[in-house]
Amino acid sequence: MQQRYKSTRGGTAQDDYSFEDALFSGYAPDGGLFVPVSLPSINREKDQYSLWSNMTFPELAYDVLRKFISPTEIDDANLKSICDKSFPLDAFDEECYIPIKDVGSSLHIAELFHGPTFCFKDFGMRPVINLLSYFAELRSRPITLLVSTTGDTGPAAVHAVNDASNPLLTILVHYPHGQISDFQRKQLTTLQSNYVKVASFEGGGDDMDWPIKETLLSSKSGGKDSGVGAAEGGRLFCGINSYNIGRPLVQMTLFIWIYLRMAEKLGLSPGDENSLIDMVLPTGAMGNLTGAYMAKQMGVPIGKLYCGVNINDITHRVIDRGEFHQQKIEKTLSEALNVEVPYNFERILFYLTGGNESLVKGWMETMDKTQQLTLNELWLKRLQQDFQSASITDDEMCNALRETYESSFEHYLCDPHTAVAVAAAKKLGVFVSMKVVAEEGHI
Ligand SMILES: *Cc1c(COP(=O)(O)O)cnc(C)c1O
């Protein structure tokens, strides 16, 4: 099986990208985002699900990635070792990886913070960095990852790069001086590593985004002939935020895993299309949401996807009223959700429209030009069939956090991001019908 990649905006007829091209290029040359040319449809036979049910987390990650990376690019043994290295038992919480806690009678919380940096970013970052490391080695080409962070992405990335210990793979991280938590600043700056450089800058959280994007573009990442596979020589700069297709791909595993564990918990027969599991996600750049949606598109019985966002609520405005209109970022207590334009919405639109590239291209070009895109009634209705959302203020988040603590069996203390999801679930009334979940959190 050959798995190739293309742009959400269609690109040109000659475009045909390998996984390696897509992983290294970040954005497609036409400005779109990479997606697999086809999504495998999960074998509905119970077999697939019973196989999956018995797998360890690294085995499941391997099985999922195997469907998206051709064996001619990475053979079985190497892909297995990448997955094992990414999710080592001693760095993740014993064997359960994602404990699911019952908080009250109808709320289950999937905890995604049991990795080495206590943040769910570990799950997506580690395999992506090990995949990059594999190709750097294969091509004998030095790569520097560029990241700007307000807290969660940076620590996960530097620890993953340090663990990869590949002299060809280094990382340069920037964080806004005085604007990240002390704990996360220490996670970044106290790591003694030959592979990691960290710098702070004066300014706001997203002030480094533009210089980084410029550097990435001028290093000629992007395009069929400039990916690591084709060009020789110089150092390549690479971005690893969730516009990179590697992130949603590996994060699909989370949702398959959570689905399987919930099906066991609720006594459902795994794979049964009549027993869908709804999920509530604290949503920022929609990377995780895209992972969940892709799993759903492949046939995993995931029901509705509910997005909890803070007052930086472009995601809510588009799901509620069809208005994908860019606004200025406001400070909140749930930093990781402070996103002005969730770039993965482009992938959501791509799958929502059944892969209608010209429609997506038109929409996104309007967005690029005017910072505004308005969906018509028809598409808004379609969007609302799969997604619902709520916008949560800091006060509402704090109330949800307190109420959960006071009303739960063992005084469950969630972090502000989880609390946004819990507040959204309450606001949307999903507890009544809900079979599930809100995911994650970190310290
Ligand atoms: C990054 C992050 C999110 C947002 O995830 P997206 O994939 O960007 O939507 C939510 N919660 C936490 C704790 C995060 O670190």
Side-chain angles (χ1 to χ4, degrees):
M1 179 224 46
Q2 283 287 322
Q3 182 61 273
R4 307 295 289 180
Y5 287 78
K6 64 177 179 180
S7 167
T8 44
R9 302 187 192 179
T12 66
Q14 293 81 46
D15 285 356
D16 170 37
Y17 299 97
S18 64
F19 172 72
E20 181 183 1
D21 289 330
L23 185 72
F24 277 92
S25 305
Y27 288 91
D30 64 356
L33 296 177
F34 283 109
V35 284
V37 165
S38 64
L39 281 184
S41 159
I42 292 308
N43 176 358
R44 298 283 165 84
E45 318 258 317
K46 293 283 183 289
D47 271 6
Q48 174 69 86
Y49 288 92
S50 52
L51 280 173
W52 274 351
S53 294
N54 292 316
M55 285 179 185
T56 64
F57 192 87
E59 285 168 352
L60 183 67
Y62 166 79
D63 201 70
V64 172
L65 281 179
R66 186 69 293 171
K67 298 181 196 308
F68 292 95
I69 304 172
S70 298
T72 49
E73 289 197 74
I74 307 181
D75 65 22
D76 289 356
N78 279 308
L79 189 58
K80 265 203 183 90
S81 115
I82 287 169
C83 292
D84 288 343
K85 250 194 287 187
S86 301
F87 304 110
L89 276 177
D90 55 350
F92 283 80
D93 194 278
E94 289 155 22
E95 271 177 69
C96 60
Y97 287 88
I98 307 173
I100 298 184
K101 300 283 166 69
D102 303 335
V103 182
S105 52
S106 53
L107 176 63
H108 310 272
I109 294 183
E111 296 184 341
L112 298 178
F113 56 86
H114 295 270
T117 69
F118 315 109
C119 166
F120 110 87
K121 299 285 192 292
D122 285 327
F123 281 99
M125 212 53 100
R126 294 180 64 85
V128 166
I129 283 171
N130 286 324
L131 287 162
L132 289 164
S133 174
Y134 173 81
F135 286 117
E137 184 101 42
L138 190 69
R139 308 291 175 198
S140 308
R141 180 150 192 202
I143 294 165
T144 295
L145 307 179
L146 292 178
V147 173
S148 177
T149 185
T150 51
D152 289 356
T153 304
V158 299
H159 282 81
V161 169
N162 185 54
D163 288 353
S165 295
N166 176 352
L168 289 169
L169 183 73
T170 52
I171 184 167
L172 176 55
V173 177
H174 303 83
Y175 70 89
H177 182 73
Q179 290 180 46
I180 70 172
S181 72
D182 245 17
F183 181 84
Q184 289 181 320
R185 179 182 56 75
K186 287 180 188 161
Q187 280 184 314
L188 282 172
T189 54
T190 60
L191 184 74
Q192 289 277 349
S193 171
N194 295 331
Y195 314 106
V196 175
K197 292 260 184 299
V198 179
S200 70
F201 62 94
E202 298 289 338
D206 45 10
D207 285 352
M208 277 306 291
D209 288 355
W210 194 78
I212 286 180
K213 199 166 176 185
E214 281 289 284
T215 311
L216 292 177
L217 290 173
S218 64
S219 98
K220 286 223 270 182
S221 52
K224 189 171 164 57
D225 301 321
S226 49
V228 122
E232 319 111 46
R235 176 171 300 276
L236 195 84
F237 291 96
C238 190
I240 45 172
N241 290 93
S242 62
Y243 53 77
N244 191 313
I245 183 63
R247 295 276 302 278
L249 281 186
V250 301
Q251 284 168 219
M252 286 175 56
T253 308
L254 302 177
F255 295 94
I256 298 174
W257 180 268
I258 292 169
Y259 167 77
L260 293 167
R261 300 294 86 84
M262 280 306 299
E264 277 160 16
K265 211 183 233 309
L266 301 172
L268 307 174
S269 125
D272 177 0
E273 289 159 65
N274 298 317
S275 306
L276 301 178
I277 298 210
D278 296 335
M279 302 197 184
V280 191
L281 281 72
T283 303
M286 296 194 190
N288 223 19
L289 190 71
T290 300
Y293 198 45
M294 288 171 79
K296 179 176 162 69
Q297 298 279 320
M298 281 176 20
V300 179
I302 292 171
K304 209 145 190 167
L305 291 166
Y306 296 93
C307 306
V309 296
N310 65 30
I311 56 168
N312 298 297
D313 59 0
I314 182 167
T315 292
H316 174 61
R317 283 177 277 122
V318 71
I319 294 174
D320 193 53
R321 326 194 267 278
E323 292 170 7
F324 195 60
H325 298 180
Q326 188 172 342
Q327 285 180 4
K328 277 246 151 323
I329 290 277
E330 310 261 355
K331 286 204 160 147
T332 69
L333 296 171
S334 48
E335 274 278 343
L337 308 185
N338 293 354
V339 170
E340 200 174 72
V341 180
Y343 25 61
N344 275 291
F345 188 54
E346 180 159 348
R347 290 194 175 107
I348 301 274
L349 287 175
F350 179 83
Y351 288 115
L352 187 77
T353 59
N356 189 332
E357 297 153 358
S358 55
L359 197 53
V360 173
K361 183 179 163 78
W363 279 336
M364 295 320 294
E365 285 179 353
T366 303
M367 183 67 191
D368 289 345
K369 259 188 232 122
T370 65
Q371 284 71 56
Q372 296 204 342
L373 160 68
T374 309
L375 295 180
N376 68 22
E377 264 312 293
L378 176 90
W379 288 112
L380 179 58
K381 285 239 162 62
R382 269 297 289 118
L383 186 66
Q384 291 173 344
Q385 281 169 14
D386 292 342
F387 302 92
Q388 241 179 290
S389 63
S391 172
I392 302 300
T393 63
D394 276 351
D395 276 352
E396 290 172 311
M397 180 280 285
C398 290
N399 285 335
L401 201 154
R402 187 182 314 110
E403 275 170 29
T404 310
Y405 181 78
E406 282 168 359
S407 67
S408 57
F409 304 132
E410 287 173 352
H411 283 319
Y412 191 83
L413 185 60
C414 20
D415 93 297
H417 306 84
T418 311
V420 166
V422 172
K426 289 195 172 156
K427 207 165 186 168
L428 293 166
V430 286
F431 287 152
V432 192
S433 62
M434 194 171 71
K435 296 173 211 84
V436 92
V437 204
E439 53 85 25
E440 78 156 275
H442 67 144
I443 41 173

